[in-house]
Amino acid sequence: MDDLPDATGPPITASVRSAEGGGAVSAPGAALPRRPAPAGGPGVLPQLVLAIVCGGYATGAALGWGSPELAATMGDFGLSGAAGLAATSCVWYGRTRSTRFRPAWLLFAASSAMAGFGNFVWGWYEVVLGRHVPSPSPADFCFLLFAPPAIIGLLVLARRPVTRAGWVCLALDSWLIGGSLLTLSWSLALAHTAHFAGETVAHAALSLAYPLLDIVLVSMVLALHFKRSSANRSAINTAIAALALTVLCDALFTSPLLQANYRSGQILDAGWFAGYMLMAYAPWVAREERESAARPGRPPAPPAGRPIAGSLAALTPYLAAAVCTLGILYNVLDGHHVDRVVLFTGCTVVLALVVRQGIMLLDNISLTQELAQKENHFRSLVQGSSDVIMIAAPTGILRYVSPAAAGVYGRDAEELVGSELASLIHPEDLGRVVHEVRRFLAAPPAEEPTTRIECRFRSGGGDWLNVESTVNRHHGGLIFNSRDVTERVRLQAQLQHTAEHDPLTDLPNRALFTKRVQQALAGRRVTDAGTAVLFIDLDGFKAVNDTVGHQAGDELLIQAARRLQDSVRAGDSTARFGGDEFAALIIGDGTRDPAAREYRILEVADRLRLTLSQPYLVEGGTEVRVAASIGVAFAEPDITPGTLMRNADLAMYRAKQAGKGRVELYAPQMQADVVRRTELASRLRTALHDGEFALLHQPVVELATGRITAVGAQARWRSAQGILFTPDEFLRVAEMDRGDESARTAELGRWTLERAAEQAGRRRLAGYTVPVHVRMSAARLLDKSLPPKSVEALILRHGLPSGSLVLELSGSDPRLPLDELEHRLVSLRRFGVRIALDGFGTGYAAMSALRRLPIDVLKLDRGLVDGVAESARLHKITAGLLRIAGDLGMESVADGVDDLEQARVLRAMGCTHGQGMAFAGALDEHRLRHALDRAPYPLPGLIPDSLAATLPGDPTDGGNQVLVGGALPVRSGVVGGAGALAHAPLRSNNETPVPPT
């Protein structure tokens, strides 16, 4: 695309037919505005000084300087000073500037130095010695040496040809110019000069040398004028002008008329003086151009076209031949005999012209073939491209459309040519496109050569396609390189929708809902008073997942989302946050009365509660019911979206705590409760370091005899109120993040193991040899932060015999390296440590671990024990697992045996040991020893029922006497204890739990 140098073209007009009136509506674009020329450039002052100096010298020369002595001094030493200044300027520039034209300026400096030295010698004879200058003199040789360095410098400035033919043409052009000038000069003057009688050879040679060198110099000046380099154009032009003025004065001086009457200080010296001063100024023009271009906010001016100079360059050989012909005709018509020099020079000029024409003919044939190949190449690229290339005229009319339009737009290229571009763009996008085109054309081409425009384009079928176009300038118009991006736009819209919407219900997710809340708060007007956020949770949804299945739970969520969306107004927003949590943004209606707006929002919330609590018909025609707990928070002045949503969340949890299935309005007291729980969590985090934990033990009973055969160590935290919290409650109340919980769990596990080994050692010294079970995760056992021999060191430190310590592996992750775990367990077994697999039958207790790891005891998960007496299916599963333990020769421990009937059923299935509230809870050290001293626990089938009624733990006693020596004030966790919590199955859509207060 060609860049526009200025705004000479007409404005681009975009027209579209109006659907209402049917007329043409024009949207004029903006052409590139013409930049005003600066009032004064950085070279104005030096140019003014140069003009004043040269004008002053010319005035003095014209008036004779007032006296012959002053005229001679200014004519000789004045020219010498000007030439010396030019030499100094060129040397200084050449030594301080690193450019590729540096040799040329140094050569010009040498040329000027020769001229200055020659004028100095001339002045020495005339002014100092007071006599005529001899001929020849040293000054003549200095003047002769002026031309060769200048000629070589001009060759350095010339644009170097890139081919051998170019070098030949350059030499031929130089000879054509030089030969024609020689023919003309010889015919006019040099022939007479060459026949001077009585002159010495040196004087005759000197007389011919001056004009011949001037002819060569003029030839190089003319050749360089048409073949100079494009870089530093102003500096080169100034240097050429300086040399041309000097040569012109030399030519006038060598004429017999002026040479005979020449005196130093005359007007001819003003020409030489101006030439030397121009040469002194020439190199610094390039520096001024760079400073002007580097000025902030002023882009470099594009090179101006030179059609006249290009035409003259093409006509140069023919003009030279014409001059040569005129020289010959002058001799013939004047009746003179044709000189042999003129004849020879003319023949060589004609021969050079013929050779040059032949070279140019061959070069043109080669260029024509190359141009045709490139044209075919680019035509193939344009016609074979999948992108549509369109050229629009400044009026907005399409002048060219590539054939790809048929495949992209479904319209033939011929059909589009001649139509208005604006009529093909969607009306809603037209204004934006015209604005972008105007902005692009107003920008400087050097700063913004292209731009991108995306709009909708009418296809042949009448549909609108999303088109992305790269726009370039082209002779006042525009070139559009367009491609169909409809699929990309659809995919982006789909990805955006997926990122901001829930995949199950297609409701907005938390991110989009938060954005809409932020927009509602930021743009809330006076009429929006009463805007509120509702947080909704479905009570009893977990039971639907557990009883009917997760597929039915997903269907319930979809129906609940549809009900929620249908129950709000068009301007309101709904969202699903995950699980069974939903939210709604209710925009206020301008009610200023707080009571009225509270009544309105609570009415909306209660209507939503009733709607969501209606029965749901899910998979298989099953009808299920859930309730809805709703929290409401109003948008108060200066409230942030995060704070508003947090308040609604707190209100929703308060509704669940208050009995579920109700609506609660946020009150500041709820936030105070959160602060209180946070302070409690902070105190609990310091409890471990302050020694506020106690270690209790729960008996493990042999189901065949009722004897206590082992105890399970369990940590408890004793609060300031004397309540004992389980570790799960401690971590849950503290509301820690996952990383903090992991660190606390590891520290708590280390403390439990050390305390359990210490107390087991003390019991052994007191005569109680029951083993102690300590729960430890497999990941913790392989943790690099745990010393490799820490368990063995504990056993040796407290003198525990073999079999006194049983490690219960919990939470075994299948991603753990079994080889490393097996090696660690084998090492522990050599020290007499027995290994139990906790949570067998659920969670991650995989059969691969059972097959490879050295396991001594299988501990059934309480999920298999709870309901084993009532569920036949669960009975069969548990019995099968117990048979596996028996076949492998392992002991089995049932965790969570909460009644004696479960103990009886488990013993009948082959379970060897049990642990749970049917026997005792967690006991302190005093009550544990008291229990070890008492008789075995009564079990059904071991003693008569009448005798069992008089013993502790009577099943008819309602479970009030199950703790030997009395019960501790223990706050239990969720039914199933810590083990059940650790191995609860992970589900996608579970009921939101209620945090403790």
Side-chain angles (χ1 to χ4, degrees), residues 766-829:
Y768 301 100
T769 58
V770 291
V772 58
H773 288 233
V774 180
R775 179 173 296 161
M776 179 177 290
S777 66
R780 175 60 183 162
L781 192 61
L782 297 178
D783 193 355
K784 297 185 181 300
S785 63
L786 183 69
K789 300 297 182 180
S790 58
V791 179
E792 294 85 345
L794 282 175
I795 295 175
L796 295 177
R797 185 189 313 156
H798 298 291
L800 299 181
S802 178
S804 298
L805 178 62
V806 181
L807 290 182
E808 297 180 356
L809 291 181
S810 62
S812 57
D813 193 337
R815 295 173 295 181
L816 292 175
L818 288 181
D819 295 336
E820 187 177 350
L821 182 59
E822 180 182 7
H823 178 75
R824 179 67 177 134
L825 295 180
V826 170
S827 176
L828 290 174
R829 290 189 71 188

Side-chain angles (χ1 to χ4, degrees), residues 643-656:
T643 303
L644 178 60
M645 295 172 63
R646 182 206 62 190
N647 294 345
D649 195 13
L650 293 175
M652 184 267 290
Y653 276 117
R654 179 57 61 90
K656 293 178 69 68

